[in-house]
């Protein structure tokens, strides 16, 4: 599981992309879990890395799991119509 905290933006997107590449290089059919619980902000650059991760995992027949998705990140994914590619954990009203 990869955990990312703070801001996922232009300045830090490359860090997550590198971690994704390193993790995928070590697995034949990957199960990549991204814990975003401590992610305070995500912009289009951060979103592009999440899309990159999903595509790379699928190319190798694997699965991407997101957890701890904040309302802000959930809304960004939904507004961009990416919930089929970036499967969101179930949303529990009031949480």
């Amino acid at each position: 599981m990869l955990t990312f905290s703070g801001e996922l933006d232009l300045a830090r997107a490359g860090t997550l992309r590198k971690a994704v590449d390193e993790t995928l290089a070590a697995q034949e059919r990957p199960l990549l879990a991204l814990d975003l619980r401590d992610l305070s902000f995500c912009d289009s650059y951060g979103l592009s890395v999440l899309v990159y991760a999903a595509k790379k995992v699928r190319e190798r027949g694997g699965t991407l799991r997101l957890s701890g998705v904040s309302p802000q990140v959930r809304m960004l994914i939904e507004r961009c119509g990416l919930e089929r590619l970036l499967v969101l954990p179930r949303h529990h009203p009031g949480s």
Side-chain angles (χ1 to χ4, degrees):
M1 176 178 290
L2 292 176
T3 301
F4 200 84
S5 62
E7 297 184 356
L8 184 51
D9 57 9
L10 173 61
R12 299 197 57 225
T15 302
L16 181 56
R17 185 179 177 125
K18 182 179 177 185
V20 166
D21 287 340
E22 289 172 355
T23 301
L24 295 181
Q27 300 179 30
E28 186 174 322
R29 187 172 178 173
L31 167 57
L32 180 60
L34 293 177
D35 181 355
L36 306 178
R37 180 176 344 271
D38 295 323
L39 188 67
S40 61
F41 175 80
C42 182
D43 68 6
S44 60
Y45 292 99
L47 186 60
S48 72
V49 175
L50 296 177
V51 168
Y52 169 82
K55 288 183 176 182
K56 288 295 180 183
V57 166
R58 285 191 179 171
E59 284 173 3
R60 300 184 62 194
T63 303
L64 174 68
R65 293 223 173 109
L66 302 178
S67 65
V69 179
S70 71
Q72 184 260 348
V73 174
R74 178 181 290 277
M75 186 171 57
L76 180 62
I77 291 169
E78 290 172 348
R79 282 194 176 165
C80 293
L82 294 170
E83 57 272 50
R84 282 195 161 172
L85 182 61
L86 298 170
V87 178
L88 295 166
R90 270 186 184 225
H91 178 68
H92 302 286
S95 59

